[in-house]
Amino acid sequence: MPDKGCQRESKPSAGRMEGCVAVVTGGSRGIGLGIARRFHELGARVVLCARNADNAMAAAHALDPSGETALGAGVHVSDEDAARTLLADARGRWGALDVLVNSAAVNPHFGPTRSVDHGRWQKIMEVNLWAPLRWTQLALEEGLGATRPGSVLMVSSNLADTPGSPSGVYGMSKAALNYLTAQLAVELGPRVRVNGIAPGVVNTRFAAPLVAFGEKVYGRWPVPRFGEPEDVAAAAEFLATEASSWVTGQVLTVDGGALLGGDEFSALEVS
C-alpha cells in the first residue's frame, strides 16, 4: 500500500487534511485566503504569504489566534531569499511540506495588449509565471514529495482560453502557466502531483474592474453570477487531497460555465 502522507480520506470531512502542511502565496485575501481557510478547516496547518506582512498576519490570526496552526508572512513572491527562508521555516516548525498553492498574481495592465509597456509586461510574467516555477523549485528543495506524496496547485484563469479580454497579457501569462502545470506534472510524478484551477471572474478586489460591469459579464453564463473564493477553494480541496490521487497535469475550470457562452467580454467597451 503506497504512503498517502497527509491525504487520508476519500470523502469530504473535517480532518481530511489532518497532518498536512500547506503554503499559500497570495494568501491574505481573495482566492488565496479562501483556499487557506478551507485547508485549515480540514485540519491542515497553513502558512499565508502576502507582500503586506500586516495583512498576512491578520488573515492568519483570524484562522488561529494562537498561531499554532496558521501563520502569516510578509513575503513578496519575487524575493527568492525570503521564499526559501519561509519554506524552510514551515518545514522546520511542522516537520513537513505537503502542499504548495501558487495563488499570488498581478495584473497592472487593463486594456488592449497593443498598449502594454515593457515594465508591466515584465512584472506580469515575473509574478504570474516565473514565481510559481521558482517557488515550486524551492519547495522541492525543502522536501516536497521526498518522504510522502506532495501536491502543487497553480491558480490560473479561464482568460488563458479567452482571447479578446481587456486583460490579454494576464491571460497570456496564465496560458503559459497551464503549460507549466502539465510540464511539471510529467517531471515531478509520481511523488508530486501538479494541477491547476482556472477560475472565471471571482468577486474579489483583484477582479474589481470586471466585477464592476456586473450582469454585462455574467448575464449569459449558465450559472449567472460571479464566483466567490469558496467556489475555488472547493476545487482546491479536491485537487490537493487523496480524492484526486489519480489526477495530475490538469487544469480545472471553475467559472460558472462562462466559456460555454463564447466571448464573455464582447459586451464590454474598454479603450
Side-chain angles (χ1 to χ4, degrees):
M1 182 74 77
D3 176 13
K4 294 183 180 179
C6 68
Q7 303 168 0
R8 297 177 182 173
E9 296 188 20
S10 59
K11 60 182 179 179
S13 67
R16 187 178 181 185
M17 295 183 72
E18 195 72 36
C20 186
V21 178
V23 174
V24 182
T25 70
S28 67
R29 65 174 189 255
I31 288 173
L33 178 56
I35 292 173
R37 182 184 296 116
R38 175 64 67 94
F39 286 2
H40 190 260
E41 289 171 349
L42 295 170
R45 288 162 289 184
V46 296
V47 181
L48 289 69
C49 312
R51 60 184 175 182
N52 185 298
D54 290 340
N55 290 347
M57 290 187 289
H61 185 268
L63 297 183
D64 179 10
S66 74
E68 294 181 0
T69 60
L71 297 175
V75 176
H76 194 288
V77 290
S78 298
D79 188 338
E80 294 187 17
D81 290 337
R84 183 181 290 106
T85 298
L86 180 144
L87 292 166
D89 287 348
R91 181 181 57 82
R93 174 183 291 264
W94 289 318
L97 182 60
D98 300 293
V99 180
L100 171 65
V101 181
N102 289 304
S103 180
V106 296
N107 185 21
H109 180 75
F110 187 77
T113 300
R114 64 180 181 272
S115 66
V116 69
D117 59 78
H118 191 221
R120 288 188 175 91
W121 174 278
Q122 284 188 310
K123 184 174 183 179
I124 290 170
M125 296 303 169
E126 179 181 18
V127 173
N128 297 1
L129 186 58
W130 168 245
L133 173 58
R134 189 62 185 132
W135 277 70
T136 301
Q137 293 171 335
L138 294 173
L140 292 168
E141 291 177 11
E142 287 301 326
L144 179 68
T147 60
R148 60 192 194 187
S151 178
V152 176
L153 297 183
M154 307 292 196
V155 178
S156 182
S157 169
N158 72 346
L159 291 180
D161 298 310
T162 315
S165 155
S167 295
V169 181
Y170 176 82
M172 291 178 215
S173 73
K174 295 301 187 176
L177 183 65
N178 291 352
Y179 188 98
L180 177 64
T181 298
Q183 180 70 25
L184 289 178
V186 173
E187 294 183 8
L188 303 186
R191 298 300 296 176
V192 176
R193 296 184 300 109
V194 186
N195 290 291
I197 306 170
V201 183
V202 177
N203 188 17
T204 64
R205 191 170 79 179
F206 183 85
L210 292 175
V211 171
F213 285 100
E215 193 172 354
K216 285 185 177 181
V217 175
Y218 67 70
R220 293 183 298 154
W221 299 352
V223 182
R225 65 172 176 85
F226 291 123
E228 297 295 337
E230 292 76 16
D231 294 312
V232 184
E237 175 188 339
F238 168 68
L239 291 173
T241 62
E242 185 64 15
S244 62
S245 63
W246 208 36
V247 178
T248 194
Q250 303 305 304
V251 179
L252 176 60
T253 300
V254 182
D255 69 354
L259 294 186
L260 301 176
D263 181 6
E264 61 182 322
F265 299 104
S266 60
L268 306 188
E269 296 180 3
V270 179
S271 60

